[in-house]
Amino acid sequence: FLLSLQLENKTRGRLQKQICQVVLDHFDKQYTKELGDTWTSVRDVLTCPLCWQYAVLVNKFSQSAELENTLRVRGYQPAFQGRLPYLPASLKCYTGRTPGRFPAQKHQAGKLKEYYLLNAASLLPVLALEVKDGEDVLDLCAAPGGKSVALLQCAYPGKFHCNEYDDLRSRWLKQTIESFIPDPLINLIMVTGLDGREIGNLKPELYDKVLVDAPCSNDRSWLFSSDTQQASHRLTQRKELSSLQFQLLRSAVKALRPGGSLVYSTCTFSKAENSDVINLIVDTCSNVTPEDISEMAKAVSQEFTFLSGMQQHELLVLPEKGRAWGPMYVAKLKKI
């Protein structure tokens, strides 16, 4: 108990971060316009890290009955209890109603971790992708690796290609995979550092499923930029992100086999990086059609709050107190 208390105090100390006023002012201006009255309640959660919640994704390759008992004793419940169109029994995730973070496990060479801490909403792109055994899968922007690990909890792909262009993040991705995936399976995973915009040309029509968890203006972390100059630079660069995201998506479409599905996700509320990018792809790629994910959204509506007025092929998770998940935008497309 004492150790648990120390860990919680340590976490609490870490969460007393400073809000970056430059970023908050920018968000207030943009999101009041885009989200309307909803922004007020979302803003309250985003600016209060002590309200944030963390889910625990159990690693099926290092399963421990003791871990699941501990989680239940601490008030965690299995997530995704609705009737989802796709929910493999091997994907086990626990969420707690109260804020706070379960203690993290350190990376130890040669030893698999038992669980991965994450924002529960980041599993929605994985569930939307519906990967089945034997399918060839590309995770185009894979670092830090949480969604790659979650995909492997769901199914055993034929080929699994994890790509991350940024060198530092690529090393982080490799370490995550080493921490969660056992040797026989790890040999089937190809990790590359290619420019995601080129993969479609390099590997045309090679994959059944593609995940594009795109580089975006990460609203949660940007709010706590410690360096005002860096924050201002990020906000200037923000205008260029939608162009990069569009190019990554176009590359992903080329890499997909006809009949294959693509899921696009970000952790921002920004319409320019979400719906606008998807609409542009649908308008300019005649071989792409939106795929309905409203059944999945309906099945998890008890656990997540969604922005209303979205189209059937997309959703946007809004954080609120007691369900502080998101932001997470998810859209699904099919290649015809």
Side-chain angles (χ1 to χ4, degrees), residues 281-298:
I281 275 287
V282 172
D283 291 345
T284 55
C285 295
S286 57
N287 59 346
V288 160
T289 182
E291 203 168 338
D292 190 348
I293 54 170
S294 59
E295 281 304 308
M296 180 186 82
K298 206 183 296 173

Side-chain angles (χ1 to χ4, degrees), residues 152-178:
L152 288 165
Q153 304 302 313
C154 295
Y156 292 93
K159 283 202 291 277
F160 191 31
H161 181 179
C162 298
N163 183 70
E164 177 54 54
Y165 185 48
D166 182 272
D167 190 47
L168 188 67
R169 286 172 63 81
S170 187
R171 290 204 291 275
W172 189 4
L173 168 66
K174 283 174 188 160
Q175 190 177 88
T176 302
I177 289 170
E178 278 169 24

Side-chain angles (χ1 to χ4, degrees), residues 239-251:
K239 298 181 189 81
E240 295 157 26
L241 278 168
S242 56
S243 170
L244 168 65
Q245 290 154 348
F246 174 74
Q247 290 171 65
L248 289 168
L249 267 175
R250 203 165 50 181
S251 174

Side-chain angles (χ1 to χ4, degrees), residues 199-213:
I199 281 183
N201 293 326
L202 295 170
K203 298 178 182 294
E205 301 194 349
L206 268 192
Y207 303 98
D208 301 299
K209 302 278 167 75
V210 179
L211 175 64
V212 184
D213 186 42

Side-chain angles (χ1 to χ4, degrees), residues 12 18 147 202 253 318:
R12 204 164 270 271
Q18 286 295 302
K147 291 181 182 69
L202 295 170
V253 171
L318 303 171

Side-chain angles (χ1 to χ4, degrees), residues 17-33 39-48 52 218-225 227-228 231-232 234-235 238 269:
K17 305 176 189 175
Q18 286 295 302
I19 290 167
C20 180
Q21 198 59 46
V22 175
V23 176
L24 185 58
D25 290 346
H26 182 91
F27 283 2
D28 279 337
K29 196 173 169 185
Q30 181 180 349
Y31 294 145
T32 300
K33 199 184 293 178
W39 171 237
T40 311
S41 57
V42 165
R43 184 189 195 273
D44 287 348
V45 176
L46 276 196
T47 53
C48 175
W52 296 1
N218 184 326
D219 292 352
R220 276 193 194 233
S221 67
W222 280 27
L223 257 179
F224 297 92
S225 304
D227 180 342
T228 309
S232 303
R234 276 176 169 173
L235 291 173
R238 194 178 201 200
F269 300 114

